[in-house]
Amino acid sequence: MSRTVLSVGTFDLLHCGHISLFEHCRRVAGEDGNVVIGVNTSEFAGRFKTAPTQSTHERLTMVAACRCVDQVVINDSPSLRSLIAETGADFLLSGQDWAARDYYAQIGMTQTDLDDAGVTLLYVPRPAGTMSSTELKARI
C-alpha cells in the first residue's frame, strides 16, 4: 500500500534535525510511498516568528535536493486543509517540539478535521544533540 506523508515547516538553515525529520517521513511512507514537504513562504513564516534567513526559493531548493523528499510544495495558508487534499496525505508529521504547543492552531485544523480527512498526525522526536534553526543562528 502506497502512503503519502506530508510535513510542513519553514526549514530555514537546513540542519540535521530537518534531515532526520525527512528520513522519518521516508520510513513512514515506505520506499514506494510519497514524501511531500511543504515549505512555508517567508511572508507566512514571518507572521509567527522572525523572518527566515534564506528566501523561500532558497529553502525550496535545499529541501528538494534531499534524497528522502519526493515533492516540495509552497505553503502560504494558515490552514493545511487544502494542502492535505491536494497531496492526498495519509500522514502528517511534525517535530516533537510541536506536541507541547498548540499544533492544531498552527495548522488551522482540529483532530476531528484530520480524522475526517483520513490523516494520522505523528510527532517525530528530535535526535539528541541536534539543534533548531534558531540555535544554529545563535551559534553563527
Side-chain angles (χ1 to χ4, degrees):
M1 170 167 53
S2 181
R3 299 175 172 173
T4 297
V5 174
L6 173 66
S7 186
V8 179
T10 302
F11 306 113
D12 194 24
L13 300 179
L14 201 61
H15 56 72
C16 293
H18 295 139
I19 301 302
S20 177
L21 174 64
F22 301 159
E23 289 172 341
H24 202 97
C25 289
R26 171 54 59 205
R27 285 192 296 276
V28 172
E31 287 305 314
D32 295 333
N34 190 31
V35 174
V36 181
I37 304 298
V39 176
N40 295 328
T41 64
S42 296
E43 296 77 21
F44 178 76
R47 293 181 214 156
F48 301 100
K49 58 184 180 179
T50 304
T53 302
Q54 296 176 298
S55 71
T56 302
H57 175 74
E58 289 168 327
R59 292 178 290 110
L60 282 166
T61 301
M62 296 294 286
V63 171
C66 296
R67 64 180 164 82
C68 295
V69 176
D70 296 309
Q71 181 182 358
V72 181
V73 295
I74 294 175
N75 180 55
D76 194 30
S77 174
S79 172
L80 292 186
R81 188 179 318 274
S82 62
L83 195 54
I84 286 171
E86 289 168 17
T87 62
D90 301 298
F91 293 87
L92 176 63
L93 270 64
S94 183
Q96 183 70 42
D97 53 326
W98 281 100
R101 304 181 206 173
D102 189 358
Y103 188 63
Y104 295 104
Q106 179 71 19
I107 65 171
M109 297 180 76
T110 65
Q111 181 60 56
T112 301
D113 293 332
L114 292 177
D115 291 343
D116 290 347
V119 175
T120 301
L121 173 61
L122 300 175
Y123 292 108
V124 177
R126 179 185 291 179
T130 60
M131 63 182 71
S132 67
S133 294
T134 302
E135 292 166 329
L136 182 57
K137 289 175 189 177
R139 182 198 283 183
I140 294 170

